Structure formats: C-alpha cells, structure tokens
C-alpha cells in the first residue's frame, strides 16, 4: 500500500504502517517542530507543505496512491474549542483535503481515504458538520442531518463508494490513555466483496477496556491531599488550594491546584512495589489491575459532560486522561505529584521512547523544547489504533469475502 499523509503531525500513521510494509509517498505539514521531527526520522519523504497550496500536478507526480490519511485540524469541532465547526478557518481545511482526494482518485488510482477527528464532530453545528463529512466523502449531495443526530458507528453508500465510521478509544488497543476519536473510512473500490473494516465485530477489534479493578492483595495508602504549584512542574502540599486562575500555570488551562486520591500499592506483574518511595514512577497499569500512580487531569473543573473537564480530576484506574495540546496532565504517587514527562506522553500515544527528542533550531536533542514535544504529541493520533486500522485494511484487500 502506498499512502499520502495530510496534516501529518509527527506521523503516527507511518509509525503504525511501516511494519506492514506500506510506503509513505509524501507528507503535508507546516508546523515547525513537527516538520523537524519528520525531517529527522523520514528525510527521504517529501513534505508538500500547506494543503491549501498543493496542486493537481503535485499529486499526479506522486504516482500510485492507494490511501490518503488526514486528521484535519479539530479546533473548531472540539467541545474545548469555539464550536464553529466547518465555519471555522482551521476545520474548513477538511474541504482542501477532499480536493486532494479527488485529484488522487482521478490520477493516482486512489481507493481509500481515512479521516480522524474529535467526537465533537458529531455534534458541532447541531450535527450538520458530520453531515457534511458523510456527504462529501461518500458522495451523497443534499444529505439531511438525522433528526435523532448521528450515531457513533455507521455506514453510508453514495456515488463515491462505501463510508464506514466508528469511535475508537486508544485504551482498547493496549495504551493506558482514554482517547476516543472518530474515524471515517471511504472505500471507492470493490467494497461489496469484503467484510466491514471499522465496523468489525467487537471481539476482534479489541474494544474492551482492560480490567483495572483493584485486586484483593493490594494495600491502600489513604493519604489524600490538595497541592498547589510550587515551581514549574512541581507541586507542594497545602491545606488551602492556590488561587483559581483563568489562564497560566504549568498545567495549562489555568489549573494550579490539584487533588489526589488514595493510591493502590502492592503487586504489579507479580513484583512487589514499595509505596514509601519519594519519586513518582512512570505511570503504567498492570495486567492484573494494580496501578502504581494516579492520573491527574490538566483541567479538573467539575463541569458536566460535553463542556470540557469533568469529574473529580483524578483517575486511579491506570489510564491517563486524553493528551491534549494545552493541558499538562500530572501523575500522583503517595504524597508526590508531578506532571507527565514527554517520554510518558510518547508511550501513551504508542511512539518509541524519545521519538520527539530531536536536534532542533541549531540545538542538540538534549535541549529539545519540552513545550513543543508536548504539543506535537497531544496533536497526534494514537499509533496502536492506526496499526489496527492498517491491519484491518490489509486483511480486507488480501482476503476479500473470505475474511
């Protein structure tokens, strides 16, 4: 499979699909730091730059393209954004991607187009934005928004072929992160002779969250507490929370006070862990459910669902909150609280350790800016989810109706 990656970021798609033998014919990215990451890891893959300026001839010159993947900017579709939907400048880039897809259908033998976005795509502009996605991708002009809104799984057949969509959560695919994203896959080829891809049976796509219930042989540290920012990325115990601010603070979003719950201690993968250490370990969850640390949300305001941060601000299930470009999530262990390290964020997204630790702007990798690494990782797709989609496409293309 030969694919073109638009709005490439740091290329979760290539990390996922290179092991399948797929070839990336080109990327398209304009942000300076992700461009540097791409140049560092994939120096021989051309970067076409701004999608609004990509020409028909440029696409034609790439030769065979079997698939285009595009995670168009979601700022105007997210519940954390301004909800302008496709009326917003950034999210309207979706239509530039569709222009490029049409070029590739005409000149390059394109079969598949894969779109990724936030769950806000279903509800922005009262559902009309996802109507536009289905209409444009499937080829269904004058499509109306369903009166009962869009479901999180579905399919549509239009002039362009079969469009499947489904919500996939990174925690279903071996990552300790709750990260739900909607994926929509267009197949312009012989989709009648294969089984669904994104609508695969639940037991085969791994969409059962790992069991994280605390087992009987664990002890519980009952220390709870409130913490305020004492320095960048460091928190100190306090009886009174810090002043609530609308912005600022190392966590982003104005969050400068944290609450921590009890932390479970005991065995992890049959090894005994000491709960008296003073340094918080890397966040991870064991297969038997014990956790070493508590995930703390970058935005812990107790809002209602659909309006940003919600709940009590901590999660002791072993899964991290969704990584974002603005929030700086923290991790708590006994009476130590610290923000997640970039390496932990890389692991939560399925990237190799220190993938984003690169030489940048005439400085060596040891001086790579942390803020740029966090932002790039928060913007990325989850590698494990993309790998599952790639394998599913391979099976569909190879086996057809024998799957």
């Amino acid at each position: 499979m030969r694919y073109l990656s638009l709005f490439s970021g740091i290329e979760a798609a290539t990390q996922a699909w290179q092991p399948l033998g797929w070839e990336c014919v080109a990327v398209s990215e304009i942000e300076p730091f992700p461009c540097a990451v791409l140049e560092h890891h994939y120096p021989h893959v051309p970067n076409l730059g701004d999608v609004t300026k990509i020409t028909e001839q440029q696409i034609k010159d790439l030769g065979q393209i079997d698939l285009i993947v595009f995670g168009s900017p979601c700022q105007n579709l997210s519940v954390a954004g301004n909800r302008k939907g496709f009326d917003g400048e950034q999210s309207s880039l979706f239509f530039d991607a569709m222009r490029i897809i049409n070029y590739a259908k005409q000149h390059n033998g394109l079969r598949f187009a894969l779109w990724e976005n936030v769950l806000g795509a279903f509800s922005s502009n009262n559902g009309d934005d996802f109507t536009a996605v289905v209409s444009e991708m499937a080829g269904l002009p004058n499509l109306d928004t369903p009166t009962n809104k869009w479901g999180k799984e579905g399919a549509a057949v239009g002039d362009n072929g079969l469009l499947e969509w489904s919500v996939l959560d990174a925690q279903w695919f071996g990552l300790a992160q709750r990260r739900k994203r909607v994926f929509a896959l267009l197949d312009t080829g012989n989709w009648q002779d294969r089984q669904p891809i994104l609508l695969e049976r639940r037991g085969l796509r791994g969409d059962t969250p790992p069991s994280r219930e605390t087992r009987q042989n664990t002890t519980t540290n009952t220390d709870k507490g409130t913490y305020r920012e004492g320095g960048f990325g460091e928190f100190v115990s306090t009886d009174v929370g810090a002043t609530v601010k609308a912005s600022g603070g190392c966590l982003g979003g104005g969050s400068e006070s944290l609450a921590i719950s009890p932390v479970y201690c005991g065995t992890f993968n049959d090894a005994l862990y000491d709960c008296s250490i003073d340094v918080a370990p890397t966040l991870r969850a064991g297969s038997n459910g014990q956790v070493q640390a508590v995930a703390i949300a970058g935005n812990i305001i107790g809002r209602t669902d659909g309006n940003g941060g919600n709940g009590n601000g901590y999660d002791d299930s072993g899964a991290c909150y969704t990584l974002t470009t603005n929030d700086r999530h923290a991790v708590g262990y006994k009476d130590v609280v610290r923000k997640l390290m970039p390496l932990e964020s890389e692991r939560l997204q399925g990237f190799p350790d220190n993938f984003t630790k690169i030489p940048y702007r005439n400085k060596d990798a040891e001086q790579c800016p942390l803020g740029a690494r966090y932002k790039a990782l928060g913007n990325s797709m989850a590698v494990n989810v993309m790998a599952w989609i790639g394998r599913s496409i391979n099976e569909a293309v190879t086996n057809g109706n024998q799957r």
Side-chain angles (χ1 to χ4, degrees):
M1 296 281 286
R2 287 166 54 87
Y3 64 95
L4 167 64
S5 177
L6 306 177
F7 314 102
S8 303
I10 54 175
E11 265 309 284
T14 296
Q15 276 295 300
W17 294 342
Q18 272 191 340
L20 302 178
W22 293 18
E23 178 186 356
C24 183
V25 298
V27 297
S28 172
E29 180 56 56
I30 60 173
E31 288 289 327
F33 182 73
C35 284
V37 174
L38 296 175
E39 175 64 24
H40 179 77
H41 290 288
Y42 313 113
H44 302 299
V45 177
N47 186 344
L48 303 182
D50 188 343
V51 295
T52 67
K53 299 177 181 178
I54 294 176
T55 68
E56 184 173 3
Q57 188 62 49
Q58 283 179 295
I59 298 301
K60 188 175 180 179
D61 290 344
L62 292 174
Q64 179 69 28
I65 299 176
D66 301 294
L67 181 150
I68 290 180
V69 56
F70 63 117
S72 52
C74 62
Q75 286 88 335
N76 303 118
L77 297 175
S78 170
V79 294
N82 55 26
R83 303 312 301 274
K84 290 183 179 179
F86 286 140
D87 292 332
E89 179 180 353
Q90 290 172 308
S91 290
S92 64
L93 294 172
F94 169 85
F95 298 103
D96 283 290
M98 290 306 303
R99 172 180 58 85
I100 294 168
I101 287 169
N102 288 330
Y103 292 159
K105 285 168 57 181
Q106 182 179 354
H107 301 295
N108 308 80
L110 182 75
R111 176 170 178 177
F112 294 103
L114 176 65
W115 179 70
E116 181 260 9
N117 217 288
V118 295
L119 268 64
F122 287 122
S123 57
S124 63
N125 285 335
N126 295 314
D128 289 347
D129 285 336
F130 196 70
T131 301
V133 171
V134 176
S135 176
E136 290 290 322
M137 293 190 73
L140 288 169
N142 305 316
L143 182 66
D144 293 326
T145 300
T147 55
N148 58 348
K149 306 303 179 184
W150 290 101
K152 293 183 179 179
E153 291 186 332
V157 177
D159 293 340
N160 295 337
L162 171 68
L163 181 71
E164 304 172 55
W165 66 88
S166 181
V167 173
L168 303 178
D169 190 336
Q171 68 169 326
W172 301 340
F173 300 88
L175 297 176
Q177 180 191 179
R178 304 181 189 279
R179 189 181 190 86
K180 293 182 179 180
R181 291 292 185 265
V182 56
F183 293 85
L185 178 69
L186 172 66
D187 184 351
T188 68
N190 186 18
W191 53 266
Q192 297 96 331
D193 288 342
R194 65 163 178 83
Q195 293 294 319
I197 295 174
L198 293 184
L199 301 179
E200 183 63 280
R201 296 192 301 276
R202 291 182 181 274
L204 294 182
R205 75 177 175 192
D207 63 350
T208 301
S211 175
R212 297 191 178 99
E213 295 179 359
T214 306
R215 306 301 179 183
Q216 293 181 350
N217 294 330
T218 63
T219 60
T220 303
N221 172 2
T222 57
D223 289 348
K224 298 182 180 180
T226 304
Y227 296 80
R228 62 174 174 80
E229 185 177 355
F232 187 84
E234 297 178 355
F235 297 84
V236 296
S237 179
T238 179
D239 293 329
V240 180
T243 302
V244 177
K245 296 181 179 180
S247 62
C250 73
L251 294 182
S255 176
E256 295 197 6
S257 297
L258 301 171
I260 184 169
S261 75
V263 177
Y264 300 110
C265 307
T267 59
F268 177 85
N269 288 346
D270 299 323
L272 182 64
Y273 283 82
D274 183 3
C275 295
S276 64
I277 64 172
D278 295 326
V279 179
T282 299
L283 176 66
R284 55 179 177 169
S287 59
N288 62 356
Q290 278 74 48
V291 298
Q292 290 180 260
V294 173
I296 302 172
N299 178 355
I300 60 172
I301 300 172
R303 296 172 177 168
T304 59
D305 262 346
N307 291 311
N310 57 76
N312 53 20
Y314 66 82
D315 188 332
D316 58 4
S317 70
C320 178
Y321 290 91
T322 303
L323 298 182
T324 65
T325 59
N326 294 321
D327 291 330
R328 294 294 176 260
H329 299 296
V331 59
Y333 182 87
K334 196 180 178 183
D335 55 0
V336 177
V337 180
R338 62 166 174 79
K339 70 173 182 177
L340 289 175
M341 298 179 292
L343 181 143
E344 290 169 311
S345 297
E346 289 166 342
R347 292 177 179 178
L348 290 170
Q349 289 284 54
F351 284 94
D353 288 0
N354 295 314
F355 183 82
T356 59
K357 188 177 181 180
I358 62 165
Y360 184 59
R361 291 183 171 172
N362 299 319
K363 295 182 179 179
D364 61 30
E366 294 300 322
Q367 296 175 290
C368 188
L370 297 182
R373 296 177 67 186
Y374 283 123
K375 180 179 179 181
L377 288 161
N379 267 333
S380 182
M381 303 175 189
V383 172
N384 292 29
V385 178
M386 298 299 289
W388 178 84
I389 294 174
R391 291 193 301 270
S392 299
I393 292 173
N394 261 358
E395 291 178 14
V397 170
T398 302
N399 299 326
N401 60 6
Q402 298 179 6
R403 290 179 70 207

